[in-house]
Amino acid sequence: QEKEFNPNSTVQLRTLLFDYAGLKPSKKTPTGAPSTDAEVLKKLADEHEIPKHILSIRQKSKIKNTYLDKILPQLDSDDRLRTGFNIHSTTSGRLSSSGKMNMQQIPRDNPIVKGCIRAKEGNKIVAMDLTTAEVYVAAVLSNDKNLQGVFKEGGDFHGSIAKLVFNLKCKGEEVAKYYPTQRQAAKAVTFGIMYGAGAHKISEQVTKDSGEPFSKHDAQVVIDGYFKQFNKLKLWIDRSSKFIEENGFIYSYFGRKRRLPNVKSDNRGIRGHEVRSGLNFLVQSVASDINLLGAIDAHNMLKEVPFKADIFALVHDSILAEVEEDAIDAYKVLIRECVQKDRGLSIPGCPVGCDFDVGEDYSFGKFAKEYDI
DNA sequence: ATGTTAGGCCAC
DNA sequence: AAACGTGGCCTAACAT
Ligand SMILES: [Mn+2]
């Protein structure tokens, strides 16, 4: 009573929710303390009015403190913000970004923040994004013809996967409509496999994404069906795991080395983590290098071309640039050529997919639509 | 006053 | 839950 409360303090919030208000903790932090993260707060929102206010404050302060308040004070004299890209700061060969702003963690669905990144007069922002790049890499490395076949077909990728795994009778394009849960499950397994997730994690993920309970057993059934359908993918994972466990290192297709000494740990959990790191490295590193090598080639080619286009950021599987309006089509052709170039890692006749967004700013029209009229 | 850790959360 | 991979930034709380 009468005491100050700081909603940004997890320590104080724990006391308020679990001691004073009598709410029940549902999850613990790594150190054993009761968690107050968004997942916990959402559950508690039905029983008390405090959690939803905390969620609201967290969301707003995140945007304000991390992004909006960082822009104006850090602009150069030309009203541009210049931040850093680090090439030697990850174990996978990805870039990272830091300094005045991390350009690789701009909120995906926030047009207010993204709308601040604008092209100059007569130019547009052009963003290229590789489509399911890591899965494409896995399909090539494992030489799984069924998985490669899904890329060759084209269309709704996760829908096609679901159709195969669940033996659905409708057309691939109709899966999203008639079997949304199956599609969600297939999607979760696809990405889960890239991270080495187990049935438990995948069931949690599908439950969260679909809003309907999806049991661990259901998840295991999907995983089994998945690996039955994509048998060579499974064999490749097992083969790679064995190599990692026996050698304590692994090389990517492009020659990057990941050292994994903890495969010899006494701790089963640590050993498991090390193997998952190695497996993920194989796809994450190569997918990133396809984007990076493509961007480097494009940058060099852009010097020799009669139009102006400046690449200003790389976000793991995407290339952002400011491009003269008249040159956008030519720029797209050039970028596509660079990222789809055969570097020895392509599905024959089916290069990795890429798509483009074009707009005045990085929100691609959403900011103007919602706030500008 | 400065440095480190914990918890949380943003991205791919 | 070392369990689902790779990063960086923010605040509070604690340590030097
Ligand atoms: Mn993508």
Side-chain angles (χ1 to χ4, degrees):
Chain A
Q1 273 76 4
E2 296 290 325
K3 268 191 282 186
E4 288 268 348
F5 169 66
N6 182 348
N8 298 315
S9 163
T10 51
V11 176
Q12 294 181 34
L13 181 59
R14 268 199 288 268
T15 308
L16 180 64
L17 293 180
F18 305 129
D19 296 339
Y20 285 75
L23 296 169
K24 273 156 290 184
S26 52
K27 196 167 55 163
K28 284 183 175 179
T29 67
T31 58
S35 170
T36 66
D37 70 13
E39 185 190 325
V40 173
L41 262 35
K42 274 172 197 156
K43 271 185 203 157
L44 269 36
D46 296 331
E47 306 170 43
H48 206 288
E49 61 170 345
I50 292 176
K52 68 171 186 289
H53 292 301
I54 299 297
L55 285 167
S56 172
I57 290 169
R58 286 210 183 137
Q59 171 188 321
K60 290 178 170 66
S61 61
K62 180 82 175 183
I63 297 300
K64 182 175 191 292
N65 297 333
T66 308
Y67 305 102
L68 298 181
D69 284 354
K70 294 288 174 274
I71 298 174
L72 289 179
Q74 305 198 94
L75 294 179
D76 289 338
S77 55
D78 60 354
D79 279 355
R80 300 268 183 167
L81 185 150
R82 293 178 177 78
T83 187
F85 287 86
N86 317 303
I87 57 174
H88 292 145
S89 63
T90 71
T91 53
S92 63
R94 276 185 173 188
L95 306 192
S96 73
S97 172
S98 64
K100 293 184 181 173
M101 182 96 70
N102 179 348
M103 276 300 292
Q104 298 178 325
Q105 60 174 177
I106 303 298
R108 193 190 340 110
D109 303 316
N110 189 309
I112 298 178
V113 175
K114 296 183 82 171
C116 294
I117 300 163
R118 300 183 55 80
K120 65 186 173 194
E121 187 68 30
N123 290 60
K124 289 245 193 311
I125 303 292
V126 180
M128 184 284 307
D129 186 287
L130 301 176
T131 53
T132 50
E134 294 184 0
V135 187
Y136 181 91
V137 170
V140 176
L141 292 176
S142 65
N143 199 27
D144 187 309
K145 300 299 181 192
N146 285 339
L147 192 52
Q148 294 182 9
V150 176
F151 283 97
K152 284 186 183 173
E153 271 179 39
D156 175 10
F157 179 82
H158 298 296
S160 301
I161 298 283
K163 185 169 148 60
L164 282 176
V165 172
F166 295 102
N167 196 25
L168 302 177
K169 296 305 177 194
C170 71
K171 290 192 222 164
E173 308 305 314
E174 297 173 334
V175 173
K177 211 169 259 156
Y178 298 121
Y179 302 97
T181 305
Q182 280 84 351
R183 185 182 180 281
Q184 193 63 58
K187 185 177 178 182
V189 172
T190 295
F191 287 124
I193 285 170
M194 297 299 130
Y195 303 142
H200 185 72
K201 260 295 180 227
I202 286 171
S203 75
E204 285 182 347
Q205 194 62 47
V206 179
T207 299
K208 187 193 288 184
D209 293 341
S210 72
E212 295 187 19
F214 196 84
S215 72
K216 181 176 172 180
H217 179 264
D218 290 341
Q220 189 60 57
V221 170
V222 180
I223 293 170
D224 292 343
Y226 201 101
F227 281 137
K228 191 175 177 191
Q229 189 61 229
F230 304 112
N231 182 251
K232 290 201 70 178
L233 176 66
K234 172 65 171 162
L235 291 175
W236 173 75
I237 290 171
D238 292 345
R239 206 184 323 130
S240 302
S241 298
K242 186 161 177 286
F243 181 95
I244 292 164
E245 286 164 6
E246 289 176 354
N247 296 284
F249 69 86
I250 196 152
Y251 282 96
S252 82
Y253 175 81
F254 289 116
R256 295 188 192 271
K257 182 177 187 178
R258 177 77 203 257
R259 283 160 238 267
L260 299 156
N262 284 339
V263 295
K264 293 187 176 66
S265 169
D266 302 329
N267 184 308
R268 204 173 99 265
I270 293 178
R271 286 201 305 274
H273 187 268
E274 202 75 331
V275 174
R276 288 194 299 278
S277 294
L279 287 174
N280 179 258
F281 165 80
L282 291 176
V283 291
Q284 182 186 113
S285 178
V286 167
S288 171
D289 277 336
I290 288 171
N291 193 63
L292 180 57
L293 291 167
I296 291 170
D297 287 349
H299 176 76
N300 288 327
M301 288 173 68
L302 286 170
K303 294 173 185 167
E304 312 295 331
V305 113
F307 58 85
K308 192 82 162 64
D310 291 314
I311 295 173
F312 67 87
L314 302 186
V315 192
H316 310 310
D317 74 334
S318 76
I319 300 172
L320 310 186
E322 181 184 54
V323 185
E324 284 181 338
E325 278 181 67
D326 296 339
I328 290 172
D329 287 341
Y331 173 79
K332 285 188 188 175
V333 169
L334 187 150
I335 287 289
R336 181 180 291 278
E337 180 188 331
C338 289
V339 299
Q340 293 187 334
K341 185 181 298 179
D342 186 4
R343 303 175 193 276
L345 259 190
S346 295
I347 299 172
C350 179
V352 65
C354 65
D355 57 66
F356 292 88
D357 285 306
V358 179
E360 299 284 327
D361 62 60
Y362 194 26
S363 81
F364 303 115
K366 290 200 178 71
F367 179 80
K369 189 173 180 187
E370 292 178 31
Y371 303 97
D372 214 15
I373 306 299

